[in-house]
């Protein structure tokens, strides 16, 4: 069955170029009306202009779609509220939010200023939280919403020179975990996308493949699934160069240790603690405590 978004309204942040533009065009091509947000600044978040967002709106309109530009920063709660109000005034609902806007200020942690750390966390984490907060009540009232956080392999697994970026990107996984739980009863599904693509953000990294093999449009099919009616929730989807993968936050079965020599036992049994046999994907934070209490009960003969 063809994936369609007719009658649906999507906001895509940072959609003036790169991945956000590809997502906006893909959503519009399949029937969604799209709010194209972009600050239009440089890769490090300095500057700003409405032209990036307006150019993508023109592209969507040229292909017969509906779109609206919003040039504000995702970190500016007033501008974000104005964007949401404008979309509601024109279309009356918001079905999809793609938190995609992002910046880089790479440096080794030794050389990184706290200002650059805070700035990157602010755009990725606070920007996504501010945009999500602005649509949350609307989606709750509609009993429908699809939200994607753009995470990164740099957050999930680390990358030299990206302590600020990695921390912000992994924080978005944490935001997703709780929002997916809280959104469930109103059919708000929240997922993370971990993309790989050749964009201005990654233009300095020599690519092992021809650049067209890393086109951002190869990531958008994964995004479309994550915001579709039949979307999963609480999923981390990797996507790039036509490859699609899932990442999980898992928990090993572990061991039960108490007593005077507990520190020595933790060291002695670290291989057993780390053993991935029987590993689970907890469906909420409380699962860890439950597992620990179960082991304690077993050891007490309960
Ligand atoms: P990009 O630089 O082309 O796109 C980012 C866009 O966000 C830009 O158009 C920029 O103007 C906009 N933006 C920046 N700050 C903003 C703000 N405060 N408010 C509104 N818009 C703002 O880079 P991209 O590669 O397309 O990145 C898109 C997302 O994907 C980012 O969140 C990035 O961290 C993430 N990502 C990209 C890759 C990759 O391989 N390209 C890998 C992992 C994650």
């Amino acid at each position: 069955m063809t994936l369609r978004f007719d009658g649906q309204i999507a906001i895509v942040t940072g959609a003036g170029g790169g991945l956000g533009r590809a997502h906006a065009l893909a959503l519009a091509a399949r029937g969604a009306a799209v709010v194209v947000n972009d600050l239009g600044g440089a890769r490090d978040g300095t500057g700003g202009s409405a032209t990036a967002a307006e150019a993508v709106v023109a592209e969507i309109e040229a292909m017969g779609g509906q779109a609206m530009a919003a040039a504000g920063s995702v970190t500016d709660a007033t501008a974000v509220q104005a964007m949401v109000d404008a979309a509601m005034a024109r279309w009356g609902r918001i079905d999809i939010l793609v938190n995609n806007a992002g910046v880089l200020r790479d440096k080794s942690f030794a050389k990184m200023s706290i200002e650059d750390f805070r700035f990157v966390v602010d755009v990725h984490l606070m920007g996504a939280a501010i945009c999500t907060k602005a649509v949350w009540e609307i989606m709750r009232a509609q009993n429908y919403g699809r939200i994607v956080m753009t995470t990164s392999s740099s957050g999930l697994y680390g990358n030299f020179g990206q302590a600020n970026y990695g921390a912000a990107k992994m924080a978005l996984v944490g935001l997703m975990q709780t929002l997916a739980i809280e959104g469930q009863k109103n059919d708000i599904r929240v997922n993370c996308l971990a993309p790989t693509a050749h964009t201005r953000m990654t233009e300095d990294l020599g690519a092992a493949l021809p650049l067209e093999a890393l086109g951002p449009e190869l990531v958008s099919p994964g995004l479309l699934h994550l915001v579709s009616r039949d979307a999963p929730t609480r999923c981390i989807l990797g996507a790039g160069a036509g490859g699609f993968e899932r990442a999980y936050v898992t928990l090993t079965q572990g061991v039960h240790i108490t007593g005077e020599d507990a520190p020595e036992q933790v060291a002695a049994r670290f291989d057993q603690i780390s053993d991935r046999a029987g590993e689970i994907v907890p469906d909420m934070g409380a699962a860890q405590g439950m597992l620990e209490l179960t082991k304690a009960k077993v050891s007490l003969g309960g």
Side-chain angles (χ1 to χ4, degrees):
M1 203 170 61
T2 311
L3 207 51
R4 296 286 312 175
F5 296 90
D6 303 285
Q8 295 199 15
I9 316 305
I11 297 177
V12 185
T13 71
L19 285 155
R21 172 179 166 274
H23 300 334
L25 293 177
L27 282 162
R30 287 168 181 265
V34 185
V35 180
V36 178
N37 160 264
D38 206 291
L39 179 63
R43 190 172 72 164
D44 68 356
T46 53
S49 134
T51 48
E54 281 163 2
V56 175
V57 168
E59 278 188 87
I60 292 173
E61 287 174 346
M63 63 193 219
Q66 292 188 71
M68 172 191 287
S73 171
V74 290
T75 58
D76 177 347
T78 309
V80 167
Q81 191 58 52
M83 164 174 81
V84 168
D85 290 348
M88 288 301 282
R90 178 157 168 194
W91 290 302
R93 57 184 293 119
I94 293 166
D95 301 283
I96 294 166
L97 169 65
V98 182
N99 287 304
N100 166 83
V103 291
L104 284 184
R105 290 195 176 178
D106 292 0
K107 272 195 179 108
S108 66
F109 191 62
K111 294 185 180 143
M112 186 180 288
S113 69
I114 283 298
E115 288 68 34
D116 279 351
F117 197 106
R118 204 186 295 279
F119 183 81
V120 169
V121 170
D122 205 34
V123 173
H124 291 274
L125 175 60
M126 292 312 298
I130 288 167
C131 291
T132 303
K133 182 74 179 160
V135 301
W136 193 251
E137 277 313 313
I138 294 167
M139 290 181 172
R140 272 164 49 88
Q142 287 170 178
N143 280 316
Y144 189 87
R146 301 287 181 264
I147 298 173
V148 166
M149 311 290 173
T150 307
T151 183
S152 168
S153 56
S154 298
L156 295 166
Y157 315 113
N159 195 24
F160 191 94
Q162 294 197 314
N164 50 1
Y165 180 79
K169 287 308 205 186
M170 197 57 184
L172 290 166
V173 175
L175 180 60
M176 170 201 74
Q177 298 281 21
T178 288
L179 292 185
I181 292 169
E182 293 187 7
Q184 205 165 16
K185 73 174 191 297
N186 296 104
D187 196 16
I188 303 174
R189 303 186 196 175
V190 190
N191 293 288
C192 279
L193 180 68
T196 310
H198 176 73
T199 65
R200 72 173 187 174
M201 194 173 267
T202 50
E203 66 195 357
D204 309 338
L205 312 171
L209 286 169
L211 295 184
E212 55 278 14
L214 279 164
E217 65 285 349
L218 296 172
V219 173
S220 298
L223 181 276
L224 291 189
H225 177 56
L226 295 183
V227 298
S228 68
R229 234 167 241 295
D230 295 328
T233 195
R234 232 173 140 250
C235 157
I236 306 166
L237 181 69
F244 296 91
E245 312 81 27
R246 271 189 79 171
Y248 294 93
V249 181
T250 66
L251 187 67
T252 64
Q253 286 298 314
V255 299
H256 177 78
I257 298 168
T258 57
E260 278 294 300
D261 69 340
E264 290 74 21
Q265 284 296 320
V266 170
R269 298 175 71 188
F270 209 71
D271 282 350
Q272 214 185 332
I273 293 169
S274 309
D275 185 356
R276 300 189 62 187
E279 185 176 67
I280 59 167
V281 180
D283 57 4
M284 67 174 87
Q288 180 187 324
M290 297 296 291
L291 180 64
E292 289 160 352
L293 288 173
T294 305
K295 285 184 297 212
K297 245 168 105 180
V298 169
S299 90
L300 292 170

